Amino acid sequence: MEFPKENFSEWYNEVVEAAGLVDKRYPVKGMHVWRPYGWKIMQNIDNYFREIFTEYGHEEVNFPLLVPETEFKKEAEHIRGFEDEVFWVTHGGLTPLDVKMLLRPTSETAMYPMFSLWIRTHADLPLKIFQIVNIFRYETKQTRTFIRMREVHFFEAHTAHATYEDAERQIQEDIELWKKIARKLALPYRIVKKADWDKFPGAIYSLGVETVMPSGRTLQIATFHQYGQNFSKPYEIEYLKEDGTHEHVHQTTFGMSERLVGAIVGIHGDDRGLIIPPEIAPIQVVIIPIVTKNKQEVLDEAKKIEKELKNAGIKVHLDARDNYTPGYKFYDWELRGVPLRLEIGPRDMKNGTVMLVRRDTREKILTKREEYVARVRELLSEIQEHLIEKAEREMQERIKAVNTIEDAKNEDGVAAVPWCGSEECGQKIEEETEKKIIGMPTEQKHGKCIICGKDTDIVAYVAKPY
Ligand code: ZN
């Protein structure tokens, strides 16, 4: 399984199945079956979300999957943004429904009618909730595991606040939260403000968290939206102020999805398969007994090691399969991306050692038996740091500042170009480069718009997004 840039797409499509993450043979386009190993990675990520969002004062909820058409139609821009990609439920058995229903493409229109019942006074604010559910979108483009699917495993946090400034502070808190998530998942990123024509339907503005895959294409892996009162007005979400008057709440959302798994696959993988960051790996250490002779003795020792690591709180798996050679097992666990391999054989038993092998650098570290638990811990944290550092460096290399349309067009990754900010020039940039403006990074730089030549401090990231 080679990993050259030109074949990234082929490599990606192959590795997600070969490593046991999904089975794509389910007979509905864009709906893949999560297999146990893939689902454990997703669950580890979800559990981290539960932990960290709870810590920041959010509460988990679970809303119904179906949304009545009448609620969906309340916010005009939102409908326009989604109407051609929702799945409709039109019948109950053989009887046509009076009000047809849709499968949530996101949950604003399911939640906000309830928000208007829940929020009464300023004492009910802020309201901060999240849910982890599946959403449905009728994608017509080519689907791709984790990246463009019709059924998507989705995280969404929704908040309501008394003032616009409170909602702004929430978005700052979301960014802080995201930084922790990025470290946990070892994902490099840039936060960009979306161009006005590209913001979430119904939002005042949208921020995208973008990463760059080895193919040079960008992948949006999280979003933060400021809704202001755009939803609270049509959904009549009001609160009683201290002075006795009523005001509509100000709202935000924070969304993420299974794309995070896609980003981990693409960004850390190599020609041997996946590399799963230790902090979310379902198996952090795999033990391979090297059994040529003294089989039972070695197996017993391997079991002892398994127990010791487990007791130390490390996620460990002993591969005691009888019918495979150690060489085959090495290959198999490298493909699945287990960060650390521990080999134990007759010679190690004699010498009082174990062999530790890093998945990321393939470095072999002979370690004394009495020190190995501490060494395993250290190595797991070194691997995590190394993945973060390497991925950030590689992403930085995929972003280049350029000053002409021609260079922006020819750039393999992300072209950072000066842009006056006008929609007219923006559309021209997109047409002439045959790429998209994926957004504007927070750091500004003085330059001249590459279309009209006007002085500007705005930088636009121009790339091909997934
Ligand atoms: Zn311009």
Side-chain angles (χ1 to χ4, degrees):
M1 195 159 30
E2 274 180 62
F3 187 71
K5 247 197 212 162
E6 313 81 68
N7 280 343
F8 174 75
S9 192
E10 215 173 286
W11 173 91
Y12 180 90
N13 289 336
E14 198 183 319
V15 79
V16 292
E17 272 193 317
L21 303 183
V22 295
D23 194 326
K24 297 188 225 175
R25 291 173 295 181
Y26 191 74
V28 179
K29 181 182 148 91
M31 297 187 185
H32 298 163
V33 179
W34 288 91
R35 296 187 65 196
Y37 187 61
W39 189 239
K40 268 181 206 143
I41 296 172
M42 191 72 248
Q43 290 294 293
N44 285 348
I45 295 172
D46 287 347
N47 288 335
Y48 180 63
F49 290 164
R50 290 195 170 96
E51 181 190 316
I52 191 166
F53 277 86
T54 304
E55 190 187 310
Y56 276 73
H58 290 254
E59 288 183 297
E60 187 170 7
V61 295
N62 200 295
F63 269 73
L65 167 62
L66 295 178
V67 183
E69 185 183 23
T70 41
E71 294 301 338
F72 180 64
K73 289 208 156 158
K74 280 185 180 165
E75 208 290 321
E77 269 188 43
H78 190 70
I79 308 159
R80 275 200 296 279
F82 282 104
E83 66 184 348
D84 67 342
E85 54 177 296
V86 292
F87 283 95
W88 288 102
V89 176
T90 57
H91 285 70
L94 297 174
T95 316
L97 297 172
D98 290 339
V99 176
K100 55 179 183 167
M101 291 184 278
L102 55 103
L103 304 185
R104 62 181 160 225
T106 167
S107 300
E108 282 74 3
T109 63
M111 289 181 170
Y112 298 168
M114 300 308 293
F115 276 27
S116 76
L117 303 174
W118 292 346
I119 297 169
R120 285 277 161 259
T121 75
H122 58 88
D124 299 324
L125 300 173
L127 178 71
K128 296 166 74 170
I129 59 162
F130 72 90
Q131 68 176 8
I132 302 175
V133 293
N134 47 359
I135 56 165
F136 296 82
R137 293 180 185 179
Y138 184 69
E139 289 287 353
T140 47
K141 291 185 198 162
Q142 195 195 348
T143 56
R144 192 187 301 271
T145 307
F146 307 132
I147 291 178
R148 186 172 295 282
M149 298 294 288
R150 289 183 172 178
E151 179 170 4
V152 182
H153 186 73
F154 192 57
F155 171 95
E156 52 185 326
H158 295 253
T159 67
H161 306 269
T163 66
Y164 185 81
E165 291 68 38
D166 287 348
E168 284 294 277
R169 273 191 286 277
Q170 180 61 46
I171 288 175
Q172 289 311 310
E173 184 185 288
D174 291 347
I175 292 172
E176 200 183 305
L177 245 151
W178 166 258
K179 284 182 185 161
K180 295 186 181 191
I181 295 167
R183 287 201 68 77
K184 194 85 176 172
L185 276 53
L187 289 177
Y189 66 92
R190 293 289 181 276
I191 295 177
V192 298
K193 187 167 183 190
K194 293 278 151 186
D196 232 29
W197 63 85
D198 194 27
K199 66 187 184 186
F200 184 81
I204 290 179
Y205 71 83
S206 294
L207 302 180
V209 178
E210 306 281 338
T211 195
V212 190
M213 296 287 255
S215 57
R217 291 173 69 176
T218 56
L219 184 66
Q220 183 175 293
I221 47 177
T223 49
F224 316 114
H225 306 296
Q226 167 66 272
Y227 293 163
Q229 296 173 316
N230 287 354
F231 283 91
S232 64
K233 284 181 177 165
Y235 287 90
E236 295 169 359
I237 314 171
E238 289 181 336
Y239 70 99
L240 179 66
K241 288 164 73 172
E242 276 172 284
D243 65 9
T245 61
H246 283 87
E247 190 176 325
H248 290 99
V249 299
H250 296 259
Q251 291 174 274
T252 78
T253 54
F254 181 162
M256 294 179 282
S257 74
E258 62 185 68
R259 277 190 165 196
L260 293 167
V261 178
I264 289 166
V265 169
I267 283 168
H268 300 306
D270 65 12
D271 52 9
R272 296 190 185 195
L274 308 180
I275 301 179
I276 308 295
E279 295 208 14
I280 51 141
I283 302 172
Q284 295 170 311
V285 182
V286 63
I287 303 169
I288 313 280
I290 311 295
V291 282
T292 41
K293 50 182 180 176
N294 306 329
K295 194 174 155 189
Q296 198 50 49
E297 259 177 62
V298 174
L299 269 181
D300 288 345
E301 189 66 10
K303 277 182 193 152
K304 224 168 116 188
I305 290 173
E306 184 192 20
K307 206 172 166 194
E308 287 166 0
L309 287 174
K310 221 173 247 172
N311 288 342
I314 290 159
K315 290 177 190 143
V316 58
H317 175 74
L318 166 60
D319 188 349
R321 289 179 294 179
D322 224 4
N323 44 344
Y324 293 112
T325 62
Y328 177 84
K329 292 178 182 177
F330 295 171
Y331 163 87
D332 197 28
W333 294 108
E334 281 177 350
L335 172 61
R336 288 166 183 262
V338 172
L340 204 56
R341 176 169 91 220
L342 186 152
E343 301 169 14
I344 174 88
R347 201 171 40 188
D348 295 305
M349 288 182 62
K350 204 176 101 203
N351 299 341
T353 56
V354 298
M355 181 64 87
L356 298 170
V357 186
R358 283 174 69 148
R359 173 65 182 84
D360 58 339
T361 58
R362 295 165 194 174
E363 189 187 347
K364 293 183 165 192
I365 304 127
L366 190 67
T367 308
K368 283 187 192 147
R369 183 72 169 76
E370 63 263 31
E371 293 168 356
Y372 85 101
V373 176
R375 194 74 186 105
V376 162
R377 256 205 208 98
E378 272 169 27
L379 283 169
L380 289 174
S381 108
E382 278 172 36
I383 293 167
Q384 182 82 20
E385 288 309 311
H386 175 243
L387 290 178
I388 292 170
E389 180 271 317
K390 178 171 175 278
E392 172 58 34
R393 179 162 31 86
E394 286 174 353
M395 192 184 73
Q396 188 56 53
E397 284 165 9
R398 294 180 187 127
I399 303 173
K400 284 203 193 77
V402 305
N403 285 303
T404 68
I405 277 285
E406 203 50 31
D407 288 348
K409 190 177 175 177
N410 294 334
E411 175 54 42
D412 281 339
V414 177
V417 307
W419 169 44
C420 66
S422 78
E423 180 154 351
E424 200 192 335
C425 289
Q427 305 286 12
K428 271 197 188 140
I429 293 173
E430 293 195 344
E431 273 163 38
E432 292 182 22
T433 58
E434 294 164 16
K435 294 178 178 176
K436 294 270 175 221
I437 291 183
I438 62 158
M440 294 152 273
T442 37
E443 62 270 40
Q444 300 197 317
K445 204 179 144 197
H446 191 73
K448 290 185 188 308
C449 173
I450 58 167
I451 298 291
C452 69
K454 217 195 254 173
D455 277 325
T456 182
D457 289 324
I458 303 172
V459 174
Y461 278 170
V462 180
K464 286 198 168 129
Y466 276 104

